[in-house]
Amino acid sequence: MRYFNTLTKATIDTDFKISGGDWVLENESKDAVVDIQANDADSQKVEQEQVTEEPNVDGTYDKVTKAQIMQELDAFGVEYDKRANKQALYDLMMEQGKE
């Protein structure tokens, strides 16, 4: 029997039955691959929509990394969301510098 892994695209020949994970019989794999590719395309589209970050139009914080901004905020003793984007953190840092 020949098995096909729908995730890694690997194949294996074995006399034993393989079950679970992403393994399917090779003759069944064509249907499974079509379904998986459709699901992958949908999930990639969603990921692309979520990952878009606004560009730095004025160039004010290009030379500073997000880690450096977070380090400065820590030095100021400011609480912030570590998942916030670079622009939001930069704005927060600049507010602290004005005070």
Side-chain angles (χ1 to χ4, degrees), residues 2-57:
R2 183 175 215 129
Y3 287 91
F4 176 76
N5 188 300
T6 57
L7 181 64
T8 63
K9 313 293 189 263
T11 58
I12 188 172
D13 271 324
T14 183
D15 294 330
F16 301 100
K17 182 178 179 181
I18 297 177
S19 63
D22 300 308
W23 293 98
V24 293
L25 280 171
E26 189 175 55
N27 58 358
E28 297 173 359
S29 67
K30 292 177 185 174
D31 296 332
V33 169
V34 170
D35 290 342
I36 288 172
Q37 287 175 344
N39 289 339
D40 285 347
D42 291 341
S43 66
Q44 287 175 355
K45 185 185 287 185
V46 170
E47 287 177 13
Q48 288 174 353
E49 291 172 3
Q50 293 175 351
V51 173
T52 55
E53 186 171 328
E54 67 277 354
N56 180 12
V57 179

